[in-house]
Amino acid sequence: MSPSSSWFTENYTPFDARRHKLRRILVQKRTRFQKVMLADSYSFGRCLILDGELQSAERDEFIYHEALVHPAMMLHPRPRRVLILGGGEGATAREILRHASVQQVTMVDIDGEVVAFCQKHLRSWHRGSFEHPKTRLLVGDAKRFIETSDEKFDVILSDLPT
């Protein structure tokens, strides 16, 4: 999609697609790992789009992040140390930090460029979770982190693009 285009088309199958009318494109770039776009749409507000797939949208991101985090957190009797694989928007960390028992949230995301512009442009999603004293952000490969770390976690959540 070019910056002058006012539509974003999200392809679901070879036979199905959905189009989103955009107000403006805020960021459109290629990082070392993926194509990234932040755009304001008429229907869903601000949208994070990775490799042509809508990952998260301002108007309904809370549904995804609450459903991802709270079931696992509620099943553990006292989650203190939580690991997020991915989670670049910071909203998964935001939801984890709502639990009083949490002492540390470790977030491992491979794309530091995406994390940086999410910190800048998606403040209403992360609500300061990146700067929270309990948050530890590591830029690196989540799989490699799991394979090489001897750290123990009470809850591990995968918030990676599909």
Side-chain angles (χ1 to χ4, degrees), residues 20-75:
H20 304 272
K21 179 82 167 159
L22 301 180
R23 290 179 195 251
R24 65 185 174 140
I25 297 172
L26 300 159
V27 178
Q28 186 172 16
K29 63 190 277 182
R30 177 135 186 72
T31 71
R32 180 174 158 213
F33 299 100
Q34 57 201 329
K35 291 183 283 182
V36 181
M37 182 171 25
L38 265 177
D40 288 337
S41 75
Y42 285 93
S43 296
F44 294 103
R46 188 148 297 171
C47 298
L48 176 64
I49 300 162
L50 302 177
D51 288 332
E53 294 184 15
L54 190 118
Q55 297 297 310
S56 202
E58 182 177 27
R59 298 234 169 85
D60 64 0
E61 64 78 16
F62 68 93
I63 297 168
Y64 169 79
H65 291 103
E66 289 176 7
L68 174 68
V69 170
H70 298 299
M73 296 295 287
M74 297 302 289
L75 284 171

Side-chain angles (χ1 to χ4, degrees), residues 85-127:
L85 310 176
E89 307 118 311
T92 300
R94 174 199 75 211
E95 292 301 315
I96 291 167
L97 289 165
R98 290 183 176 187
H99 293 263
S101 64
V102 171
Q103 295 173 353
Q104 184 180 55
V105 178
T106 300
M107 180 176 137
V108 183
D109 196 294
I110 199 165
D111 201 332
E113 288 182 75
V114 169
V115 172
F117 76 72
C118 287
Q119 284 176 298
K120 179 179 178 181
H121 296 287
L122 300 179
R123 293 204 67 75
S124 66
W125 294 0
H126 65 76
R127 297 183 196 148

